[in-house]
Amino acid sequence: MACEIRMIGTLSDGRKIHLIKIIAENGTYAEFSDFGAMVVSIFVKDGFGNISDVIAGFDTVKGLEEDTASMGKTVGRVANRISEKGINFDGKHFDITKNINGEFTLHGNHEYSNAVWNFKT
């Protein structure tokens, strides 16, 4: 297995974005971005041996940054919605910031999906 890393551009705020490519011995590979800890592409062989990308997504840093559907991104502490006043866990109440019209939390406020993550090879 091999790993390649390259810078693919910068976000509008100047943060540099990288693509991490992990290549299997059979030629298939997956690509991840440090922006949003995102799955960018997964190239696998079909029944005829052709390698194709099976992930829907974006081909540019601008597309990654402007995505509002969190395609391939790490969505945060929760995936889905938390409504009302927060959550109760183990007898304790936890208030959660409402990030959609002040009514509910969707995907943990997007701190994870819009972060530039550190990576190690």
Side-chain angles (χ1 to χ4, degrees):
M1 191 172 311
C3 180
E4 298 173 0
I5 300 168
R6 64 184 170 92
M7 192 179 94
I8 58 172
T10 57
L11 297 173
S12 59
D13 63 8
R15 293 180 290 170
K16 294 178 180 177
I17 302 303
H18 298 86
L19 193 70
I20 300 99
K21 182 177 182 180
I22 300 172
I23 309 159
E25 290 179 16
N26 68 357
T28 61
Y29 60 94
E31 295 176 310
F32 306 89
S33 172
D34 54 355
F35 176 60
M38 176 187 305
V39 177
V40 174
S41 59
I42 298 176
F43 285 83
V44 295
K45 290 184 180 181
D46 64 16
F48 301 103
N50 302 312
I51 296 178
S52 298
D53 187 7
V54 296
I55 298 293
F58 302 94
D59 295 327
T60 65
V61 171
K62 183 177 180 180
L64 300 177
E65 185 173 23
E66 293 179 355
D67 170 36
T68 60
S70 299
M71 292 178 61
K73 291 182 179 180
T74 299
V75 294
R77 295 174 293 267
V78 297
N80 208 338
R81 291 171 173 79
I82 296 177
S83 62
E84 303 297 326
K85 306 269 185 207
I87 61 171
N88 294 313
F89 181 76
D90 201 21
K92 296 179 183 176
H93 179 78
F94 297 89
D95 287 323
I96 297 177
T97 303
K98 309 297 184 269
N99 64 351
I100 304 295
N101 300 326
E103 296 178 20
F104 57 87
T105 298
L106 179 62
H107 304 323
N109 277 345
H110 302 285
E111 292 105 338
Y112 297 151
S113 63
N114 292 320
V116 176
W117 292 69
N118 295 325
F119 58 89
K120 289 185 179 185
T121 58

